[in-house]
Amino acid sequence: MQTHTAQSLAATAAKPASAPLLRIEGLTVDFGGVRVIRGMDLTLTRGDSLGIVGESGSGKSVTWLAALGLLPKTAAVSGKVRLDGEEELLGAAAARLDRIRGGRVAMIFQDPSSALNPVVRIGRQVGEVLARHQGLSGSSVRAEVKRLFELVGLPDAARRFDAYPHQMSGGQNQRVMIAMALAGGPDVLVADEPTTALDATIQAQILELLTTVRRETGMALVLISHDLGVVSETCERIMVMYAGNLVETGHSDSIFGNPQHPYTRGLLAALPSFEGALHRLVPIEGQVPEPANMPPGCPFAPRCPQRMTACETAVPPLRQIEVGHRSACVAEMAPAAGQLQKLKTGTLA
């Protein structure tokens, strides 16, 4: 990883900081003729940190599985996914994608039990990444695997090399997945709920590790999470997704301090306060609509307390609220100050 770190820093210095590292344009995904992702756009630069939030079924994970060519053949994917402004990933040959995935772009999957091979020792699984993307072999592989296991806080790292996934806890397997993702020294790391099975102390350590690696190597970090506290502490930019649509995006302080979309406000209102008087949490009524039964207008309209007639006729486009902050809502919303401080107080405690 040290060699890759030096290479990443050199590459970062050679290119303008604002040059796009990865760009997704007009990404759509259909299953059986039913659209589940409806025109996703995002841009990552080197060293970027982007959080993607939303309820289950919002399309957060599917977006990245589609971008990396990991969806089944039954999925119809269209749009553009470009790496360094040149390499088109959608429709790329399998051999080329194999070189990119795990190397330049890595993903930490949410469920380690389905991502790790149950009949292969974990040291060998991480070692395969090192051999393929870093060119290591022999004793160098074992030494680097041990270092990576220590880096992610896996206890008794040397002995774990020969362990099988079933011999470890869910949290330990999650740390193996994180080590495997870092083994390729990626330019882009997509972390899908990377701390779900970890306790609060280890969670804080892992997030600090990912942030440190990002800052030292220029790696771009995408954090997919249901935990708004984790996202606010780790990411500089936030994207809020709902029913396959991007409904709000902006800088973390702007999103949490002045949320504009009713869905974003609903997510924040459902958070407990860690200071001041206790208050009743306000849930978002209803459920995320099924893709095959999407309402004709704004997908959030049936659950929205501020819905108007215009909300039921057309899907509102993203409009600029301030520089870098956009929201897809026709209603004029008043600022909601203080949400960020309420969110951060007690986070990761």
Side-chain angles (χ1 to χ4, degrees), residues 238 240 248-259 264 268 325:
I238 305 294
V240 183
E248 188 162 4
T249 179
H251 192 275
S252 178
D253 288 351
S254 182
I255 292 289
F256 289 109
N258 184 26
T264 308
L268 292 172
H325 187 176

Side-chain angles (χ1 to χ4, degrees), residues 155-177:
D156 200 2
R159 188 172 62 86
R160 297 293 183 183
F161 188 97
D162 295 316
Y164 289 97
H166 73 270
Q167 295 175 313
M168 301 191 298
S169 68
Q172 290 171 338
N173 279 325
Q174 187 73 340
R175 277 174 264 181
V176 172
M177 287 298 303

Side-chain angles (χ1 to χ4, degrees), residues 149-155 169-172 174-176 178 194-210 348-349:
F149 284 172
E150 291 173 344
L151 191 65
V152 298
L154 195 64
S169 68
Q172 290 171 338
Q174 187 73 340
R175 277 174 264 181
V176 172
I178 295 170
T195 59
T196 299
L198 306 180
D199 60 49
T201 301
I202 299 300
Q203 173 179 276
Q205 293 173 358
I206 292 298
L207 293 174
E208 183 179 357
L209 166 66
L210 295 178
L348 304 181

Side-chain angles (χ1 to χ4, degrees), residues 1-14 134 185 216-218:
M1 178 114 98
Q2 292 174 346
T3 300
H4 181 85
T5 298
Q7 293 173 343
S8 297
L9 288 172
T12 302
Q134 302 282 24
E216 290 182 352
T217 67

Side-chain angles (χ1 to χ4, degrees), residues 175-194:
R175 277 174 264 181
V176 172
M177 287 298 303
I178 295 170
M180 188 181 298
L182 294 176
D187 294 321
V188 178
L189 176 61
V190 182
D192 190 355
E193 300 280 3

Side-chain angles (χ1 to χ4, degrees), residues 70-303:
L70 294 173
L71 290 178
K73 293 182 179 180
T74 53
V77 182
S78 64
K80 295 180 179 179
V81 181
R82 287 185 175 147
L83 191 61
D84 276 338
E86 299 174 358
E87 266 191 300
E88 175 61 57
L89 301 188
L90 289 188
R96 198 170 109 202
L97 285 176
D98 286 344
R99 290 194 300 270
I100 293 172
R101 293 186 301 225
R104 299 205 61 192
V105 183
M107 188 167 183
I108 302 171
F109 295 97
Q110 185 173 352
D111 182 11
S113 63
S114 62
L116 291 173
N117 190 325
V119 297
V120 178
R121 300 179 192 274
I122 61 169
R124 180 183 169 188
Q125 294 188 56
V126 178
E128 288 176 352
V129 179
L130 292 168
R132 184 175 186 83
H133 298 290
Q134 302 282 24
L136 299 184
S137 61
S139 60
S140 297
V141 171
R142 182 176 285 269
E144 182 63 7
V145 169
K146 178 178 178 293
R147 189 187 72 83
L148 287 168
F149 284 172
E150 291 173 344
L151 191 65
V152 298
L154 195 64
D156 200 2
R159 188 172 62 86
R160 297 293 183 183
F161 188 97
D162 295 316
Y164 289 97
H166 73 270
Q167 295 175 313
M168 301 191 298
S169 68
Q172 290 171 338
N173 279 325
Q174 187 73 340
R175 277 174 264 181
V176 172
M177 287 298 303
I178 295 170
M180 188 181 298
L182 294 176
D187 294 321
V188 178
L189 176 61
V190 182
D192 190 355
E193 300 280 3
T195 59
T196 299
L198 306 180
D199 60 49
T201 301
I202 299 300
Q203 173 179 276
Q205 293 173 358
I206 292 298
L207 293 174
E208 183 179 357
L209 166 66
L210 295 178
T211 299
T212 299
V213 172
R214 176 180 68 84
R215 289 173 177 168
E216 290 182 352
T217 67
M219 174 187 78
L221 173 65
V222 179
L223 179 60
I224 300 171
S225 180
H226 293 90
D227 192 331
L228 294 172
V230 167
V231 170
S232 72
E233 289 287 333
T234 309
C235 301
E236 297 171 355
R237 291 195 296 128
I238 305 294
M239 298 179 74
V240 183
M241 290 188 68
Y242 182 79
N245 294 271
L246 177 60
V247 297
E248 188 162 4
T249 179
H251 192 275
S252 178
D253 288 351
S254 182
I255 292 289
F256 289 109
N258 184 26
Q260 291 293 304
H261 198 279
Y263 180 60
T264 308
R265 290 190 167 192
L267 293 176
L268 292 172
L271 289 171
S273 176
F274 293 96
E275 63 179 6
L278 296 176
H279 67 279
R280 183 178 295 276
L281 300 182
V282 181
I284 302 176
E285 300 294 338
Q287 302 291 329
V288 178
E290 292 291 332
N293 296 305
M294 200 63 60
C298 173
F300 187 63
R303 306 173 69 187

Side-chain angles (χ1 to χ4, degrees), residues 307-322:
R307 64 181 176 271
M308 303 181 296
T309 302
C311 302
E312 301 172 358
T313 58
V315 178
L318 287 167
R319 62 183 179 90
Q320 183 164 299
I321 307 301
E322 55 187 332

